[in-house]
């Protein structure tokens, strides 16, 4: 929530019309905008928000624009600025500076969204928490989130994403986090960075802005990058040297149990999330929660009932068929973890890997997809089905069938199933791998 005075102080914009002076939040989408919202007419590569201004003003309390409009403002608040995106970011930065609570930034190559959601569920039992929604973690989504801050908000938990140098620095100039959690360093968005060292450097742009970092202590590459930093480093992971660690991990058919340790305490945790990567996510989130005074009773309760974020490690069971849907995104690191989890779940069943292209890998594209094939063979996955043009490189190491789109792959998969397999569906967002599940629902589900 913010006021017209906040907006003017932040942007130095000029009034064209004045109506309401208090707004619930900033919005850029006329499809979801509310009557107490303020519309920012952003200009994108394909659309220009100014084209939707008339519609926005029939629904919202006003708008921020960057060029004059010969339309009826309907007595709504309209403010003229030089650049609407810059104005949105200035508003977010201004509101952050007024905020007296803590700001936690969640960054890293894999597991950000699940870890963020866990942290929020832990903290919300004691504090009023504002969080970024879904993975809206860029220079638009983050200030939109901050615009919703209220007077009684205690903590903001903000996921910050990056796909090129400078992104984290730009976001930190808005967010100014008090502490950061770094999940890991992997090959996500490597096309924009050029090397794994570039990925690490991009994530570590956050260091000048924070005093405390929660870091994956088992990620030696990450820890090497933190050497020499003068702030407080608290580590999480499975290694015995970690400040917060998971141990005695036991995998069962439908859940995992493990012990969470700190230097001064330990307690058992049970989760229905699957895979060793989620043990890291839980341990990371529990480290933050413990540090901020959340009781082990709350952590235990939340962990047991927490369900996967949509399309991120969902387990769908239909009679004897088990589908492991992890279709929100993919990079070499997360693909390896998903395939290892598929192999772990095999038992006496056939395993099927339905994998789509991994995007934004640049010069690493061919090698990364070949490695997928090598890993499928090494893990003994029974059936491989690919979707896209890059995943064809996996066929250098393993037999399989590759299709142009997810619908074709789904139709083929449906003919292969007898109802007792365990199936992994994974690929980058652009591949729309969830459509395979839609095909299966026609007959199998």
């Amino acid at each position: 929530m913010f006021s017209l005075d906040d907006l003017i102080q932040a942007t130095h914009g000029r009034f064209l019309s004045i109506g309401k002076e208090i707004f619930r939040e900033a919005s850029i989408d006329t499809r979801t905008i509310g009557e107490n919202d303020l519309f920012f007419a952003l200009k994108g590569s394909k659309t220009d928000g100014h084209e939707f201004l008339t519609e926005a003003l029939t629904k919202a309390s006003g708008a921020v624009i960057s060029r004059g409009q010969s339309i009826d403002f309907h007595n709504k608040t309209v403010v003229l600025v030089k650049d609407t995106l810059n104005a949105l970011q200035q508003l977010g930065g201004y509101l952050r500076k007024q905020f007296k609570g803590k700001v936690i930034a969640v960054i890293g190559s894999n597991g950000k969204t699940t870890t963020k959601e866990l942290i929020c569920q832990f903290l919300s039992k004691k504090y009023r928490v504002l969080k970024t929604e879904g993975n809206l973690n860029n220079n638009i989504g983050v200030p939109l989130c901050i615009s919703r801050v209220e007077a009684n908000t205690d903590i903001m938990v903000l996921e910050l994403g990056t796909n090129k140098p400078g992104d984290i620095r730009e976001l930190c100039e808005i967010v100014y986090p008090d502490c950061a959690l770094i999940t890991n360093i992997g090959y996500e968005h490597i096309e924009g960075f050029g090397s794994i060292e570039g990925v690490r450097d991009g994530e570590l742009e956050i260091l000048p802005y924070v005093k405390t970092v929660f870091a994956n202590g088992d990620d030696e590459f990450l820890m090497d990058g933190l050497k020499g930093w003068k702030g407080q480093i608290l580590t999480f992971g499975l290694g015995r040297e970690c400040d917060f660690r998971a141990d005695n991990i036991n995998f069962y058919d439908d859940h995992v149990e493990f012990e969470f340790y700190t230097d001064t305490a330990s307690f058992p945790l049970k989760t229905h999330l699957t895979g060793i990567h989620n043990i890291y996510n839980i341990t990371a989130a529990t480290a933050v929660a413990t540090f901020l005074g959340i009781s082990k009773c709350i952590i235990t309760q939340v962990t047991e009932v927490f369900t996967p974020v949509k399309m991120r490690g969902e387990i769908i069971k239909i009679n004897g068929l088990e589908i492991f849907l992890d279709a929100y995104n993919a990079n070499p690191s997360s693909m390896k973890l998903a395939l290892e989890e598929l192999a772990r779940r095999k038992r006496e069943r056939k395993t099927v890997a339905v994998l789509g292209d991994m995007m934004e890998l640049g010069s690493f594209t061919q090698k990364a997809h070949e490695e997928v094939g090598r890993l499928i063979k090494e893990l003994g996955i029974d059936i491989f089905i690919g979707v896209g043009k890059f995943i064809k490189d996996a066929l250098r190491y393993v037999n399989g069938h590759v299709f142009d789109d997810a619908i074709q792959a789904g139709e083929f998969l449906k003919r292969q199933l007898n109802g007792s397999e365990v199936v992994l569906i994974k690929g980058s967002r652009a591949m729309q791998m969830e459509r395979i599940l839609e095909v299966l629902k026609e007959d199998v589900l």
Side-chain angles (χ1 to χ4, degrees), residues 21-32:
E21 298 188 24
I22 300 294
F23 309 101
R24 184 184 64 175
E25 62 181 285
S27 174
I28 62 170
D29 191 340
T30 56
R31 295 169 298 182
T32 58

Side-chain angles (χ1 to χ4, degrees), residues 1-16:
M1 181 176 291
F2 60 95
S3 68
L4 181 56
D5 184 60
D6 292 328
L7 179 68
I8 299 302
Q9 290 287 335
T11 67
H12 304 291
R14 179 166 63 90
F15 300 115
L16 297 181

